[in-house]
Amino acid sequence: MESICIIVPIYNEEEAIPKFPQEFSEYFELTKLNPSVLLVDDGSRDRSLELIEKLCLEDSRFHFLSLEKNSGLSSAIKAGFDCARTDWVGYIDADLQTKPKDLLKFESYLNEFDLVLGDRSASRKDSLVKKLSSKVANSFRDFMLHDGVNDSGCPLKILRRDVAISLPFFKGMHRFIPALVLMKGGKIKQVPVTHFPRVTGKSKFNLWNRLLTPLQDTFAVWWMAKRKISYKIASSDLYEREDQQS
C-alpha cells in the first residue's frame, strides 16, 4: 500500500488544533493510502505547539515539527516535504476552510498525475477583497505562466514526494506549485472542492501579501520558466563502459 503524509503548516492556530482528530477522522477511515499527518509549527506565539505535542501523544497518526522561528508558509511546507518519508505528500491549511475528506476525491487521479489540487472557485467563502485579489492574482499568473490553473493557491494538494522535493523553493512559492510542477515536466489535475468560512483564528494575509507580492513573484517564476535548461541525450557509452569494467 502506498503511503501519504499530509502537511499542515501552523502559525497561531490554537483554536483549530483540538478539532483536527474529528476533521481527519473520515479521511483516515476511507483513504486507500496509508496516511499520517505532519503538523509543522512555524514559530507560533500562542499555545499551538503545546496543543500539537499533546495531540501527537494521544494519536500516533499525528506527528510534528517545530521550526526554530517563524519562517513563513512556504518554509513550513518545504520542511514538511523534506521530512516526510512517504510515496505522496499532501498539504492542507490549519484554518479548516477546506476539509481533509475532500482529499479523497483526489485519489483516483494519483496514478496518472504528479500533482492533484483543489479548485475552490465555485464555493469560495471569503470576503469580497480576498475574492477579488485572488481573482486578479490568478488571472495575472495564468496570463504570464500559462499553467491553466483556476485556483493555484488552493490549500488542498497531493504531490508525488519525489516531485515535491525537487521543486525550487522560495518565499511565496506555495502559490506557484502547479506552474513549478509543469516546469519540471509533470502532469497536474484540478478537482472542485468545498470551501468554508473561517471559524477559528485570524487570516495571516493582507492586501500586500495576497496581491502585490504574488504579482512580483510571478515575474520571478516567469523568468525561471524562460531560463529553464532542457536537453535530451541522443547517445552515450557511459553505462556501457561501466558494465564492461565491472
Side-chain angles (χ1 to χ4, degrees):
M1 179 186 293
E2 289 191 310
S3 56
I4 185 169
C5 180
I6 307 298
I7 312 301
V8 187
I10 295 171
Y11 179 64
N12 294 346
E13 294 284 359
E14 62 181 6
E15 295 177 55
I17 294 166
K19 301 178 184 292
F20 288 173
Q22 180 179 351
E23 292 289 339
F24 276 93
S25 61
E26 185 174 358
Y27 173 73
F28 286 148
E29 181 181 351
L30 298 177
T31 180
K32 296 178 181 178
L33 303 171
N34 182 21
S36 61
V37 176
L38 181 56
L39 309 175
V40 182
D41 181 65
D42 185 23
S44 293
R45 298 179 180 180
D46 61 1
R47 295 177 60 241
S48 290
L49 181 56
E50 175 188 339
L51 295 172
I52 289 169
E53 292 175 336
K54 180 176 182 292
L55 172 56
C56 293
L57 286 174
E58 294 173 347
D59 192 327
S60 62
R61 293 168 297 189
F62 289 87
H63 306 274
F64 79 93
L65 296 174
S66 177
L67 303 188
E68 186 176 30
K69 62 180 181 179
N70 179 239
S71 302
L73 181 56
S74 292
S75 295
I77 294 172
K78 176 171 171 53
F81 287 171
D82 288 346
C83 293
R85 293 294 181 266
T86 49
D87 302 295
W88 296 89
V89 287
Y91 158 49
I92 185 171
D93 275 352
D95 59 21
L96 302 177
Q97 287 192 259
T98 51
K99 301 297 182 181
K101 66 180 181 181
D102 269 350
L103 293 170
L104 298 169
K105 300 176 182 178
F106 296 7
E107 294 187 5
S108 62
Y109 301 104
L110 297 184
N111 289 332
E112 186 179 353
F113 296 93
D114 303 288
L115 162 66
V116 184
L117 70 153
D119 180 358
R120 303 164 292 177
S121 302
S123 63
R124 189 121 189 207
K125 299 295 190 299
D126 277 327
S127 67
L128 181 61
V129 171
K130 277 187 175 182
K131 289 179 181 179
L132 289 176
S133 60
S134 291
K135 185 175 180 61
V136 170
N138 275 304
S139 298
F140 183 72
R141 187 207 67 255
D142 189 36
F143 171 75
M144 293 289 291
L145 305 179
H146 307 291
D147 59 15
V149 173
N150 298 325
D151 188 12
S152 181
C154 179
L156 271 183
K157 295 181 174 71
I158 296 181
L159 307 86
R160 289 191 177 279
R161 182 180 177 269
D162 59 340
V163 172
I165 62 176
S166 73
L167 300 179
F169 269 77
F170 51 88
K171 289 183 178 180
M173 72 78 56
H174 60 278
R175 301 182 182 94
F176 299 94
I177 288 177
L180 295 172
V181 170
L182 290 172
M183 200 184 303
K184 300 285 290 186
K187 297 175 63 180
I188 66 175
K189 173 70 176 178
Q190 299 176 83
V191 177
V193 297
T194 307
H195 193 241
F196 299 87
R198 176 185 267 272
V199 295
T200 63
K202 295 181 179 179
S203 174
K204 312 304 185 297
F205 297 97
N206 52 46
L207 184 61
W208 172 260
N209 59 27
R210 183 174 293 279
L211 180 59
L212 299 181
T213 300
L215 295 182
Q216 293 174 334
D217 291 342
T218 300
F219 284 103
V221 178
W222 174 83
W223 180 87
M224 284 192 290
K226 290 294 183 182
R227 303 290 290 177
K228 181 182 70 170
I229 293 173
S230 178
Y231 65 88
K232 293 183 179 180
I233 296 174
S235 60
S236 171
D237 70 345
L238 176 62
Y239 300 112
E240 180 180 339
R241 287 188 176 186
E242 288 182 351
D243 291 339
Q244 291 174 353
Q245 291 173 357
S246 62

